[in-house]
Amino acid sequence: MSWFRKVPFVGRLPECSASDLKEAATEVAVATVFSTMPIWLLPFLSPILFTKPVTAYEAVRTGELFLFATALVGPLVYIISKNYGERLPDDKSNPFLRYSIKFPYGQGFVYFCVVTCLLSSFAFIVLRNPLFKETELARSINYDGVIGLSGACFVLATLIFFCATAYRNSLDNIPRVMPRQERDFVEQWETRNDG
Protein backbone atom coordinates (compact mmCIF):
# COMPACT_ATOMS: atom_id res chain seq x y z
CA MET A 1 0.00 0.00 0.00
CA SER A 2 3.00 2.31 0.43
CA TRP A 3 3.39 2.52 -3.36
CA PHE A 4 -0.16 3.90 -3.63
CA ARG A 5 0.78 6.93 -1.50
CA LYS A 6 3.28 7.92 -4.20
CA VAL A 7 0.63 8.09 -6.93
CA PRO A 8 -0.01 11.76 -7.80
CA PHE A 9 -3.36 13.25 -6.77
CA VAL A 10 -4.89 10.02 -5.41
CA GLY A 11 -2.09 8.92 -3.07
CA ARG A 12 -3.51 10.63 0.00
CA LEU A 13 -7.12 9.49 -0.44
CA PRO A 14 -6.70 6.75 2.23
CA GLU A 15 -6.09 9.56 4.76
CA CYS A 16 -9.61 10.89 4.15
CA SER A 17 -12.44 9.52 6.27
CA ALA A 18 -15.24 7.45 4.75
CA SER A 19 -17.68 10.33 5.23
CA ASP A 20 -15.30 12.73 3.43
CA LEU A 21 -15.09 10.33 0.47
CA LYS A 22 -18.85 9.75 0.46
CA GLU A 23 -19.57 13.50 0.49
CA ALA A 24 -17.04 14.01 -2.31
CA ALA A 25 -18.61 11.23 -4.40
CA THR A 26 -22.06 12.79 -3.93
CA GLU A 27 -20.82 16.27 -4.87
CA VAL A 28 -19.01 14.97 -7.96
CA ALA A 29 -21.99 12.86 -9.07
CA VAL A 30 -24.38 15.81 -8.78
CA ALA A 31 -21.97 18.17 -10.56
CA THR A 32 -21.34 15.63 -13.32
CA VAL A 33 -25.03 14.90 -13.91
CA PHE A 34 -25.90 18.57 -14.15
CA SER A 35 -22.83 19.63 -16.11
CA THR A 36 -23.32 16.96 -18.75
CA MET A 37 -27.07 17.46 -19.09
CA PRO A 38 -26.74 19.16 -22.51
CA ILE A 39 -25.18 15.96 -23.86
CA TRP A 40 -27.49 13.28 -22.46
CA LEU A 41 -30.87 14.97 -21.90
CA LEU A 42 -31.81 15.66 -25.53
CA PRO A 43 -30.84 12.16 -26.75
CA PHE A 44 -32.83 10.75 -23.83
CA LEU A 45 -35.94 12.75 -24.76
CA SER A 46 -35.48 12.69 -28.55
CA PRO A 47 -37.34 9.42 -29.23
CA ILE A 48 -40.41 11.05 -27.69
CA LEU A 49 -39.99 14.47 -29.32
CA PHE A 50 -38.54 13.71 -32.77
CA THR A 51 -39.18 11.21 -35.53
CA LYS A 52 -35.42 10.81 -36.06
CA PRO A 53 -33.70 10.37 -32.66
CA VAL A 54 -30.82 12.69 -31.78
CA THR A 55 -27.56 11.20 -30.51
CA ALA A 56 -24.90 12.60 -28.23
CA TYR A 57 -22.24 11.81 -30.85
CA GLU A 58 -22.38 15.23 -32.54
CA ALA A 59 -21.96 17.14 -29.28
CA VAL A 60 -19.07 14.97 -28.13
CA ARG A 61 -17.52 15.05 -31.60
CA THR A 62 -17.45 18.85 -31.58
CA GLY A 63 -15.72 19.17 -28.23
CA GLU A 64 -18.45 19.58 -25.63
CA LEU A 65 -16.72 17.22 -23.20
CA PHE A 66 -13.69 19.53 -23.25
CA LEU A 67 -15.93 22.34 -22.03
CA PHE A 68 -17.45 20.17 -19.32
CA ALA A 69 -13.99 19.08 -18.15
CA THR A 70 -13.01 22.73 -17.86
CA ALA A 71 -16.24 23.51 -16.02
CA LEU A 72 -15.45 20.80 -13.46
CA VAL A 73 -11.83 21.71 -12.73
CA GLY A 74 -11.78 25.45 -13.46
CA PRO A 75 -13.24 26.50 -10.09
CA LEU A 76 -10.69 24.34 -8.25
CA VAL A 77 -7.96 26.91 -8.95
CA TYR A 78 -9.97 29.53 -7.07
CA ILE A 79 -11.00 27.19 -4.23
CA ILE A 80 -7.48 25.89 -3.63
CA SER A 81 -5.68 29.23 -3.87
CA LYS A 82 -8.34 31.27 -2.02
CA ASN A 83 -8.94 29.01 0.98
CA TYR A 84 -5.63 27.18 1.25
CA GLY A 85 -3.14 29.64 -0.24
CA GLU A 86 -0.66 31.78 1.60
CA ARG A 87 1.28 34.78 0.31
CA LEU A 88 5.02 34.51 0.74
CA PRO A 89 7.13 37.42 2.01
CA ASP A 90 7.66 40.17 -0.53
CA ASP A 91 10.67 39.94 -2.76
CA LYS A 92 11.56 41.06 -6.25
CA SER A 93 9.71 38.25 -8.07
CA ASN A 94 6.36 38.44 -9.79
CA PRO A 95 3.48 38.92 -7.24
CA PHE A 96 1.58 36.00 -8.79
CA LEU A 97 4.52 33.67 -8.13
CA ARG A 98 4.82 34.73 -4.46
CA TYR A 99 2.14 32.26 -3.43
CA SER A 100 2.37 29.01 -1.49
CA ILE A 101 -0.53 26.58 -1.57
CA LYS A 102 -1.19 24.58 1.60
CA PHE A 103 -3.44 21.93 0.04
CA PRO A 104 -2.61 18.28 -0.69
CA TYR A 105 -1.08 18.29 -4.18
CA GLY A 106 -2.21 21.93 -4.41
CA GLN A 107 0.24 23.11 -7.04
CA GLY A 108 -0.29 19.92 -9.04
CA PHE A 109 -4.04 20.55 -9.02
CA VAL A 110 -3.53 24.11 -10.19
CA TYR A 111 -1.18 23.04 -13.00
CA PHE A 112 -3.56 20.27 -14.08
CA CYS A 113 -6.45 22.75 -14.16
CA VAL A 114 -4.45 25.21 -16.27
CA VAL A 115 -3.38 22.50 -18.73
CA THR A 116 -6.96 21.20 -18.98
CA CYS A 117 -8.31 24.69 -19.61
CA LEU A 118 -5.66 25.44 -22.26
CA LEU A 119 -6.15 22.09 -24.03
CA SER A 120 -9.92 22.46 -23.92
CA SER A 121 -9.80 26.02 -25.19
CA PHE A 122 -7.54 25.10 -28.09
CA ALA A 123 -9.59 22.04 -29.06
CA PHE A 124 -12.88 23.88 -28.79
CA ILE A 125 -11.64 26.80 -30.90
CA VAL A 126 -10.37 24.45 -33.61
CA LEU A 127 -13.54 22.36 -33.59
CA ARG A 128 -16.15 25.12 -33.32
CA ASN A 129 -14.64 28.17 -35.01
CA PRO A 130 -16.49 28.89 -38.28
CA LEU A 131 -13.27 30.17 -39.88
CA PHE A 132 -11.63 26.75 -39.45
CA LYS A 133 -14.62 24.98 -40.99
CA GLU A 134 -13.88 26.70 -44.30
CA THR A 135 -10.25 25.56 -44.41
CA GLU A 136 -8.51 22.30 -45.19
CA LEU A 137 -7.94 21.81 -41.43
CA ALA A 138 -11.61 20.89 -40.89
CA ARG A 139 -11.28 17.92 -43.24
CA SER A 140 -8.11 16.67 -41.57
CA ILE A 141 -9.54 16.42 -38.03
CA ASN A 142 -9.74 12.90 -36.63
CA TYR A 143 -13.11 13.06 -34.87
CA ASP A 144 -12.70 9.61 -33.33
CA GLY A 145 -9.48 10.89 -31.77
CA VAL A 146 -11.29 14.01 -30.56
CA ILE A 147 -13.94 11.83 -28.91
CA GLY A 148 -11.29 9.66 -27.26
CA LEU A 149 -9.19 12.59 -26.06
CA SER A 150 -12.18 14.56 -24.81
CA GLY A 151 -13.53 11.49 -23.01
CA ALA A 152 -10.17 10.83 -21.36
CA CYS A 153 -9.85 14.50 -20.41
CA PHE A 154 -13.34 14.49 -18.91
CA VAL A 155 -12.75 11.28 -16.92
CA LEU A 156 -9.42 12.61 -15.62
CA ALA A 157 -11.01 15.97 -14.75
CA THR A 158 -13.78 14.16 -12.87
CA LEU A 159 -11.20 12.13 -10.93
CA ILE A 160 -9.22 15.27 -10.10
CA PHE A 161 -12.42 17.03 -9.01
CA PHE A 162 -13.25 14.06 -6.76
CA CYS A 163 -9.77 14.03 -5.18
CA ALA A 164 -9.73 17.77 -4.58
CA THR A 165 -13.24 17.66 -3.11
CA ALA A 166 -12.31 14.77 -0.80
CA TYR A 167 -9.20 16.62 0.41
CA ARG A 168 -11.19 19.81 0.90
CA ASN A 169 -13.81 17.92 2.92
CA SER A 170 -11.06 16.35 4.99
CA LEU A 171 -9.41 19.72 5.66
CA ASP A 172 -12.76 21.32 6.49
CA ASN A 173 -13.48 18.56 9.03
CA ILE A 174 -10.20 18.92 10.93
CA PRO A 175 -11.64 21.35 13.53
CA ARG A 176 -14.40 18.86 14.36
CA VAL A 177 -12.08 15.85 14.45
CA MET A 178 -9.26 17.38 16.51
CA PRO A 179 -11.20 17.97 19.77
CA ARG A 180 -12.46 14.34 19.67
CA GLN A 181 -8.90 13.10 19.11
CA GLU A 182 -7.67 15.25 21.98
CA ARG A 183 -10.38 13.85 24.29
CA ASP A 184 -9.49 10.30 23.22
CA PHE A 185 -5.82 10.96 23.91
CA VAL A 186 -6.57 12.37 27.38
CA GLU A 187 -8.82 9.39 28.20
CA GLN A 188 -6.14 6.94 27.07
CA TRP A 189 -3.50 8.82 29.05
CA GLU A 190 -5.64 8.82 32.21
CA THR A 191 -6.44 5.12 31.79
CA ARG A 192 -2.76 4.30 31.38
CA ASN A 193 -1.80 6.31 34.48
CA ASP A 194 -4.52 4.69 36.62
CA GLY A 195 -3.15 1.20 35.96
Side-chain angles (χ1 to χ4, degrees):
M1 191 64 168
S2 63
W3 63 268
F4 185 76
R5 294 196 183 280
K6 296 177 183 173
V7 177
F9 300 118
V10 298
R12 293 181 61 182
L13 283 177
E15 297 173 16
C16 298
S17 70
S19 65
D20 294 335
L21 296 173
K22 184 178 175 183
E23 285 177 37
T26 302
E27 290 178 51
V28 170
V30 169
T32 303
V33 166
F34 281 101
S35 70
T36 59
M37 196 176 285
I39 289 180
W40 62 262
L41 184 61
L42 188 58
F44 178 73
L45 295 175
S46 72
I48 300 167
L49 301 174
F50 305 113
T51 56
K52 184 180 177 188
V54 176
T55 66
Y57 177 78
E58 187 61 31
V60 174
R61 177 172 110 55
T62 56
E64 295 294 326
L65 279 181
F66 283 120
L67 284 182
F68 300 137
T70 301
L72 283 177
V73 299
L76 291 181
V77 174
Y78 175 76
I79 291 168
I80 291 169
S81 62
K82 170 88 171 124
N83 294 334
Y84 307 101
E86 178 181 284
R87 287 184 69 80
L88 297 173
D90 288 342
D91 60 12
K92 304 249 187 253
S93 66
N94 185 331
F96 180 73
L97 300 176
R98 290 194 316 258
Y99 219 74
S100 173
I101 297 174
K102 306 293 183 195
F103 189 88
Y105 308 107
Q107 289 181 329
F109 280 122
V110 171
Y111 294 145
F112 176 82
C113 292
V114 169
V115 168
T116 301
C117 292
L118 290 174
L119 174 66
S120 299
S121 299
F122 174 76
F124 197 73
I125 287 170
V126 168
L127 294 170
R128 299 299 286 269
N129 191 328
L131 297 176
F132 286 119
K133 289 182 181 178
E134 299 169 5
T135 65
E136 194 65 33
L137 178 64
R139 288 183 282 281
S140 64
I141 293 175
N142 176 3
Y143 286 103
D144 290 334
V146 168
I147 291 171
L149 181 61
S150 66
C153 186
F154 183 75
V155 167
L156 196 54
T158 305
L159 176 67
I160 293 297
F161 182 53
F162 170 77
C163 293
T165 304
Y167 297 142
R168 186 207 60 212
N169 291 345
S170 181
L171 290 170
D172 287 346
N173 289 331
I174 284 176
R176 287 182 290 206
V177 173
M178 286 302 288
R180 187 179 70 227
Q181 288 177 340
E182 289 171 6
R183 281 195 307 272
D184 291 345
F185 174 76
V186 169
E187 287 173 8
Q188 289 175 0
W189 184 262
E190 289 174 350
T191 305
R192 197 172 80 169
N193 285 339
D194 289 342

